[in-house]
Amino acid sequence: MKLSTLILENNNINLSLTKEEVRKVSVMVLESYENLKLESTNNNQELLAEITANVAFYSFLKEEFNKDKDLKEAIETGFPVVDAMISFFGGIKDFLTSTDFGKYLAKKVKQFTDKFFPSLGKDEKSWPNKFVAFTKKLASALGPKGIAWLLAAKKAGKEAGGIAKFLKFKKPSKEQVEAAMGVATKIYKGLMLILIGIATIKLLAFAAPFFKATMAASIKTSIVGAAQQAGISGFSLAGFNILGLTKKIQHYKHAEHLGDHSEEINGELNTLASELGDLADSFS
């Protein structure tokens, strides 16, 4: 059976992707297969099932995008939400079969930040606005429902047979997704903490060559504003929170100390990533 037929005739997929978006999702999955011959693609049932599962997932995400005011705003300002999601989540088989879910998520967030972090320039007054705008877009794109869908799919796949067992995935029901929302929301907020922590490390590295003690206030303003946009101002996980981060930064005095402070923050983020893994395991 051809891929196009499998997708278009599958009642389990509410296809909301454009042809180009389906192509991008398919290419992403195909690139994870080594030594794949084009003529064998339509006869590879495992491959076709995996592409179909990914199309179902990204269709679900896009449907959620259309319900979200902030996401619509981000799309209208040119933020490539579907591309960003493909960049972050990647293929769901790799996502679901990761042996350390927390570290995998943290790695993806780092890659995501590397790709989408804005060019800040040397005007310290521009940092808060650019950083807040950046975080608002990412916070919208990385909403908890996509994570809930994956957690529910992983849990359902454990009890399934056939191709679902191979993928460790089964398309979850609306009720199963809702049941995963509590844990997914905590994971999402943890990811936002990691995102802001990583971006802070980048900001400190960027500022180091011309750092002055007065800049600490600008960096603190950026972080607090970003946390407000992400909805995590008062959230704490594994002992890490925005208040503690900003208290450290407001006492930074010398550029030569920024490297040590960045290492300290990075260590705390690794602990946070492990906590995310434990949360995911507790559900699935």
Side-chain angles (χ1 to χ4, degrees), residues 9-248:
E9 294 183 0
N10 192 326
N11 294 327
N12 290 321
I13 300 178
N14 299 320
L15 188 62
S16 59
L17 303 181
T18 64
K19 287 184 179 180
E20 177 60 17
E21 288 164 349
V22 171
R23 186 193 69 80
K24 287 181 179 180
V25 171
S26 301
V27 167
M28 171 198 66
V29 176
L30 288 169
E31 287 177 344
S32 69
Y33 281 74
E34 296 181 359
N35 303 317
L36 183 69
K37 293 182 179 179
L38 183 62
E39 59 270 20
S40 66
T41 300
N42 281 325
N43 295 319
N44 188 326
Q45 294 303 307
E46 289 183 353
L47 172 62
L48 294 177
E50 186 173 348
I51 293 176
T52 304
N54 277 276
V55 169
F57 173 57
Y58 284 102
S59 290
F60 168 81
L61 285 183
K62 190 173 181 182
E63 288 171 12
E64 294 303 314
F65 298 164
N66 292 331
K67 299 175 185 176
D68 190 293
K69 181 181 177 181
D70 286 339
L71 274 171
K72 285 185 178 179
E73 182 180 314
I75 294 169
E76 288 168 1
T77 56
F79 187 69
V81 173
V82 174
D83 286 351
M85 287 296 86
I86 290 175
S87 175
F88 178 75
F89 284 110
I92 64 172
K93 182 164 71 74
D94 291 337
F95 199 100
L96 296 174
T97 57
S98 173
T99 54
D100 192 324
F101 193 69
K103 287 183 179 179
Y104 182 84
L105 287 173
K107 179 182 177 182
K108 296 295 286 187
V109 169
K110 184 180 185 304
Q111 293 172 341
F112 201 45
T113 311
D114 287 343
K115 184 172 183 178
F116 289 97
F117 196 74
S119 175
L120 296 172
K122 293 188 177 183
D123 179 6
E124 65 173 281
K125 292 182 180 179
S126 75
W127 294 351
N129 289 337
K130 287 187 176 181
F131 188 40
V132 169
F134 164 72
T135 308
K136 181 178 181 180
K137 290 176 180 178
L138 293 191
S140 296
L142 288 177
K145 280 200 172 180
I147 298 168
W149 197 96
L150 288 170
L151 289 175
K154 185 175 185 178
K155 189 172 186 178
K158 282 186 175 182
E159 302 171 355
I163 203 70
K165 186 176 182 180
F166 160 75
L167 292 174
K168 293 184 170 59
F169 153 88
K170 184 178 180 182
K171 184 175 182 286
S173 66
K174 181 179 178 181
E175 291 73 22
Q176 288 171 320
V177 173
E178 288 299 321
M181 278 297 293
V183 172
T185 299
K186 286 184 179 180
I187 291 174
Y188 156 74
K189 289 184 176 181
L191 289 176
M192 289 295 100
L193 285 176
I194 291 174
L195 169 69
I196 292 176
I198 291 172
T200 300
I201 291 171
K202 288 179 174 291
L203 201 59
L204 295 176
F206 172 81
F210 48 96
F211 183 80
K212 299 177 182 178
T214 54
M215 291 182 182
S218 290
I219 297 175
K220 178 184 175 182
T221 298
S222 299
I223 293 169
V224 170
Q228 289 172 343
Q229 291 296 335
I232 59 166
S233 297
F235 182 71
S236 181
L237 189 63
F240 187 85
N241 55 58
I242 298 301
L243 178 61
L245 182 61
T246 55
K247 281 184 176 179
K248 291 177 184 176

